[in-house]
Amino acid sequence: MPKIIPAYLTFIIIFSISILSVKGQVVFAQESTPETSNAVPLTESPVDDEGGFEDEFEDEFATADQEVFDPLGGYNRVMTGFNDGFYILVLDPVARGYRWVLPDTARRGVKNFFHNLFFPLRFVNNVLQLKAKNAGEEFLRFSINSTIGILGFWDPAKELFGMEAHEEDFGQTLGYYGVGGGFHVVLPFLGPSNLRDMFSLYPEMQMDPVNYVENRSYNFPKQEGEYLGVSRQTLQALDLKLLKTVNSESLRIGQYENLKKDAIELYPFLRDVYEQNRAKLIRE
Amino acid sequence: MQAAKKIIINMLLVTIFSFSFGTTFLFADEISEIREMTKEKVDHVISTLKDESLSKAEKKEGILKTIDSLFDFSLMARLSLGKKHWTTLSTEGRAEFSELFVEKLKQSYLDKLDLYTDEEVVVDEAKLTKKNRVEVLTYLVSKDDKMEMTYKLYKTKKNVWMVYDVDVLGVSIVQTYRSQFSGILKKDSLEELIERLRSSGELGS
C-alpha cells in the first residue's frame, strides 16, 4: 500500500500535466487554424469584423472614451491659449537668441549645473518611495558630479560610471502611495498640472536651492534695497529661474511646435499628454 | 514490472518536458525575431535619413515605404476613432476618414524625423504582453537625453507582426487621438471632425 500511493500520485500528476499541455497544444492549434483558413488580406475588408479580435483592442483603449472630470475646463482652455502665446511669442524667440549666443557645450553645462542642484528633491523622493538603490545612486551621482564634475557642470557619473539620474518629485511620491491626480489645472507659465502635482509645488519650492540665494556682502551686484518694491534677493532668485528656463528651452527648440502638430484641439491634447506621461512616471 | 514502470514514467516525463520547453523556446524565438524585425526597420529609417546621396523626396519615399511595412495604419485609424463612432460611418466616410488620418499620422512621423540630429536608436528588450501582442522597447538616445519609445505590435491575420500603437514617454499615440476625437464628437458631428482633419492636414503640409 505505501508503495502504491506514491506511484499512483505520480501517475495522476503526470496525467494531469500532460492533459494540460495537450489542452495547451489544442488551444494553439485552434488559434492557428483560423489564421491559415482566413487568408483574406486585411486591406480588402478592414471593417468586416465585429468579433473578439477588435473587441480586444477596444478594451485596451476604452479608457480614452471616458469623460474626464474637468471643472476648470473653461479656465484651463484660456490659460493654455495664454501659455501657448507666451511660449511662441516670448520664450521661444528668447531661447533661440540664447542658443545663437552660447555654444552647445556651455548650455549643456548650465543644464547639468541646475540639474545637480536639484539633487535633494530627487534624493528625498527616492527615499520616500523606498527606492533605496536609486537613492544611493543619486547620492553617489551628486558626490561625483559636484567634485569631479566641477560643481555639476559636467556629468562624469553618467559618462564614466554609467549612473543615470532617477527623476522623482513629490507628485510622483504621492501618486506612488495611491493619491490620484484630481482634476486638471493649467498654471500660468508653468503649464499643465493637476491638483496633486500643484500641491507638491510647495515642498518642491522649499527644496529648490535657487530660493536660498543669500544676501552676502561680497555678492555682485549689490543685493541691498528694493527695486520696484521687490527685494533684490527675490529678483536674483527670479533671474536664476529665468536662466534655468531659457537654458533648458534652448536645448529643445522646435519640440513643442512639433508636438503641437499632433493636436486637433490644443487643450485636451496637452491635458491628455500630461496625464498619460505622469501616470507612466508614477508606475515606474 | 517495477523497472518497466520506471521507464514509462521517465519517458512520460521526458516527453512532457520537451513539449513544454519546446513551446517556450519557440515563443522566445519568435519574440526575438520580432525584435530583430523592428530593429531592422527602424535602423533602415535612420540610415535612409542619414544617407547624404538621397534627395529629400527620395528620403521621404524610402522612409514611407519602410514604415508602411511596419505600421498597420488602417487599424490605427480605426482604433483612434473607436468602434462606437466607426460603426456609424458609411463606407465612403470610413475610407475618407482613414485616408485623412493616415496621411496625418505619416506627416506627423516625418515631422518628428525633421528634429532628428545625432540621436541613436537603441532597441532594448521585446516582451510578450498578451498571446498575440508584443511590445518592443526602444530608446532614442541623444547626448544628454534618453527618450523611451515603445512599439506595440500584434499578429495580423496574415501571420505578420505589425505595429498598432506607439508609446512615446508613456503617451500612447492612438489613445491621445482617441480621447481628442471622443471629446470633439461630444459636441460636433463626424462630418465636422473630418472637415477639421482635412483643414489641419492642409495646415501641416
Side-chain angles (χ1 to χ4, degrees), chain A residues 3-4 7 10-11 14-15 17-18 21 25 27-28 31-32 34-36 38-43 45-51 53-68 77 104 108 111-112 158-159 164 251 253-255 258-259 261-266 268-269 271-274 276-278 280 283-284, chain B residues 2 5 9 12-13 16 19-20 23 27 72 74-75 78-79 81-84 86-87 91 94 104 108-109 111-115 118 130-133 135 142-146 148 150 152 154-159 162 164-165 167-184 186-187 193 196-197 200 204:
Chain A
K3 243 185 187 175
I4 296 170
T10 342
F11 177 74
I14 290 170
F15 186 71
I17 291 175
S18 59
S21 67
Q25 300 296 324
V27 170
F28 280 120
E31 264 166 38
S32 54
E35 274 160 11
T36 42
N38 278 16
V40 187
L42 204 71
T43 40
S45 54
V47 264
D48 59 347
D49 28 31
E50 303 280 329
F53 182 64
E54 285 278 296
D55 282 332
E56 217 184 308
F57 280 111
E58 281 297 308
D59 296 341
E60 200 171 326
F61 296 104
T63 44
D65 302 335
Q66 282 163 12
E67 181 108 39
V68 189
R77 247 167 237 275
D104 204 43
R108 215 163 269 143
K111 187 191 169 187
N112 287 340
K158 183 175 151 195
E159 277 152 28
E164 304 256 358
L251 286 164
I253 281 171
Q255 285 189 7
N258 214 314
L259 179 77
K261 282 186 185 164
D262 285 334
I264 299 160
E265 262 187 294
L266 191 58
F269 171 74
R271 180 185 66 197
D272 202 37
V273 166
Y274 179 80
Q276 277 191 54
N277 178 247
R278 290 296 289 178
K280 178 202 152 61
R283 266 199 312 277
E284 279 175 352
Chain B
Q2 201 71 17
K5 219 178 187 177
I9 287 175
L12 263 173
L13 276 173
I16 289 162
F19 257 114
S20 48
T23 47
F27 255 155
D72 188 342
S74 68
L75 176 65
R78 250 178 301 155
L79 291 175
L81 194 58
K83 194 178 177 180
K84 194 179 107 199
W86 181 263
T87 41
T91 319
R94 286 170 182 178
K104 192 174 168 63
S108 148
Y109 187 76
D111 287 341
K112 299 276 177 305
L113 289 179
D114 275 347
L115 283 183
D118 55 349
K130 280 185 201 165
K131 62 176 192 277
N132 53 355
R133 302 285 172 79
E135 290 187 358
S142 64
K143 268 183 206 150
D144 54 359
D145 225 352
K146 199 174 167 189
E148 191 186 305
T150 310
K152 297 193 238 172
Y154 82 107
K155 200 180 201 167
T156 64
K157 288 175 184 167
K158 283 192 280 182
N159 253 342
M162 285 187 110
Y164 68 93
D165 190 16
D167 280 0
V168 183
L169 294 171
V171 182
S172 147
I173 290 179
V174 168
Q175 183 158 345
T176 311
Y177 274 115
R178 190 165 171 148
S179 55
Q180 283 191 83
F181 288 152
S182 80
I184 291 171
K186 285 214 173 78
K187 355 175 244 225
L193 174 71
R196 281 175 84 160
L197 262 181
S200 79

Side-chain angles (χ1 to χ4, degrees), chain A residues 35 61 85-87 100 106 108 126 133 141 165 169 174 185 212 215 221 223 247 272 277:
Chain A
E35 274 160 11
F61 296 104
F86 175 75
Y87 181 85
W100 188 74
R108 215 163 269 143
N126 272 305
K133 186 175 165 275
R141 272 180 57 83
D169 56 41
L174 290 176
V185 185
Y212 293 90
N215 200 356
Q223 290 189 17
N247 186 75
D272 202 37
N277 178 247

Side-chain angles (χ1 to χ4, degrees), chain B residues 3 10 28 59 65 68 89 109 114 120-121 160 174 201:
Chain B
N10 279 346
K59 277 184 186 176
K65 210 174 138 194
D68 263 335
L89 270 176
Y109 187 76
D114 275 347
E120 200 187 329
V121 179
V160 209
V174 168

Side-chain angles (χ1 to χ4, degrees), chain B:
Chain B
M1 189 61 202
Q2 201 71 17
K5 219 178 187 177
K6 253 190 181 158
I7 289 169
I8 289 172
I9 287 175
N10 279 346
M11 274 170 67
L12 263 173
L13 276 173
V14 168
T15 20
I16 289 162
F17 273 112
S18 58
F19 257 114
S20 48
F21 277 119
T23 47
T24 39
F25 278 137
L26 190 95
F27 255 155
D29 240 24
E30 198 171 6
I31 292 168
S32 71
E33 242 171 62
I34 296 161
R35 182 186 171 276
E36 282 312 306
M37 187 267 289
T38 314
K39 183 172 163 48
E40 201 180 288
K41 293 200 168 152
V42 174
D43 284 347
H44 189 255
V45 169
I46 300 298
S47 64
T48 314
L49 205 63
K50 278 182 180 164
D51 194 343
E52 299 290 341
S53 68
L54 297 172
S55 74
K56 213 168 177 189
E58 280 172 328
K59 277 184 186 176
K60 189 178 162 184
E61 196 190 334
I63 289 167
L64 283 180
K65 210 174 138 194
T66 313
I67 59 171
D68 263 335
S69 63
L70 181 64
F71 286 79
D72 188 342
F73 283 115
S74 68
L75 176 65
M76 289 174 90
R78 250 178 301 155
L79 291 175
S80 297
L81 194 58
K83 194 178 177 180
K84 194 179 107 199
H85 299 299
W86 181 263
T87 41
T88 61
L89 270 176
S90 65
T91 319
E92 302 90 69
R94 286 170 182 178
E96 191 183 12
F97 173 80
S98 282
E99 196 190 323
L100 282 168
F101 182 74
V102 169
E103 194 51 46
K104 192 174 168 63
L105 269 184
K106 286 183 181 171
Q107 192 54 50
S108 148
Y109 187 76
L110 291 172
D111 287 341
K112 299 276 177 305
L113 289 179
D114 275 347
L115 283 183
Y116 182 89
T117 46
D118 55 349
E119 292 89 344
E120 200 187 329
V121 179
V122 178
V123 179
D124 201 339
E125 50 161 12
K127 57 174 186 265
L128 192 79
T129 50
K130 280 185 201 165
K131 62 176 192 277
N132 53 355
R133 302 285 172 79
V134 168
E135 290 187 358
V136 182
L137 183 65
T138 70
Y139 293 101
L140 198 62
V141 186
S142 64
K143 268 183 206 150
D144 54 359
D145 225 352
K146 199 174 167 189
M147 193 165 85
E148 191 186 305
M149 279 177 82
T150 310
Y151 291 85
K152 297 193 238 172
L153 297 98
Y154 82 107
K155 200 180 201 167
T156 64
K157 288 175 184 167
K158 283 192 280 182
N159 253 342
V160 209
W161 288 83
M162 285 187 110
V163 173
Y164 68 93
D165 190 16
V166 181
D167 280 0
V168 183
L169 294 171
V171 182
S172 147
I173 290 179
V174 168
Q175 183 158 345
T176 311
Y177 274 115
R178 190 165 171 148
S179 55
Q180 283 191 83
F181 288 152
S182 80
I184 291 171
L185 289 172
K186 285 214 173 78
K187 355 175 244 225
D188 298 337
S189 70
L190 262 164
E191 288 71 38
E192 279 169 299
L193 174 71
I194 288 173
E195 192 50 51
R196 281 175 84 160
L197 262 181
R198 194 181 289 128
S199 60
S200 79
E202 277 157 12
L203 254 159
S205 55

Side-chain angles (χ1 to χ4, degrees), chain A residues 129-198:
Chain A
Q129 293 178 40
L130 313 175
K131 292 175 178 166
K133 186 175 165 275
N134 291 0
E137 270 191 22
E138 272 300 327
F139 186 78
L140 280 173
R141 272 180 57 83
F142 182 68
S143 316
I144 293 168
N145 286 347
S146 306
T147 50
I148 308 172
I150 313 174
L151 297 176
F153 278 100
W154 280 268
D155 191 355
K158 183 175 151 195
E159 277 152 28
L160 302 180
F161 301 98
M163 277 189 287
E164 304 256 358
H166 302 284
E167 311 288 345
E168 298 287 352
D169 56 41
F170 279 108
Q172 287 178 53
T173 300
L174 290 176
Y176 177 82
Y177 287 105
V179 179
F183 53 80
H184 195 75
V185 185
V186 179
L187 299 169
F189 304 109
L190 298 175
S193 187
N194 56 36
L195 212 54
R196 177 196 60 215
D197 295 341
M198 213 169 70

Side-chain angles (χ1 to χ4, degrees), chain A residues 153-254:
Chain A
F153 278 100
W154 280 268
D155 191 355
K158 183 175 151 195
E159 277 152 28
L160 302 180
F161 301 98
M163 277 189 287
E164 304 256 358
H166 302 284
E167 311 288 345
E168 298 287 352
D169 56 41
F170 279 108
Q172 287 178 53
T173 300
L174 290 176
Y176 177 82
Y177 287 105
V179 179
F183 53 80
H184 195 75
V185 185
V186 179
L187 299 169
F189 304 109
L190 298 175
S193 187
N194 56 36
L195 212 54
R196 177 196 60 215
D197 295 341
M198 213 169 70
F199 277 118
S200 36
L201 279 179
Y202 181 73
E204 261 156 46
M205 221 167 68
Q206 295 301 306
M207 299 201 81
D208 185 347
V210 164
N211 291 322
Y212 293 90
V213 181
E214 266 186 55
N215 200 356
R216 293 186 201 282
S217 52
Y218 51 79
N219 271 4
F220 181 82
K222 282 263 180 270
Q223 290 189 17
E224 285 127 32
E226 290 185 348
Y227 184 74
L228 292 177
V230 188
S231 81
R232 291 256 167 176
Q233 197 183 334
T234 318
L235 276 179
Q236 193 162 23
L238 214 66
D239 275 356
L240 283 171
K241 269 191 188 143
L242 206 65
L243 172 65
K244 180 173 174 262
T245 312
V246 170
N247 186 75
S248 66
E249 283 310 320
S250 77
L251 286 164
R252 49 175 190 213
I253 281 171

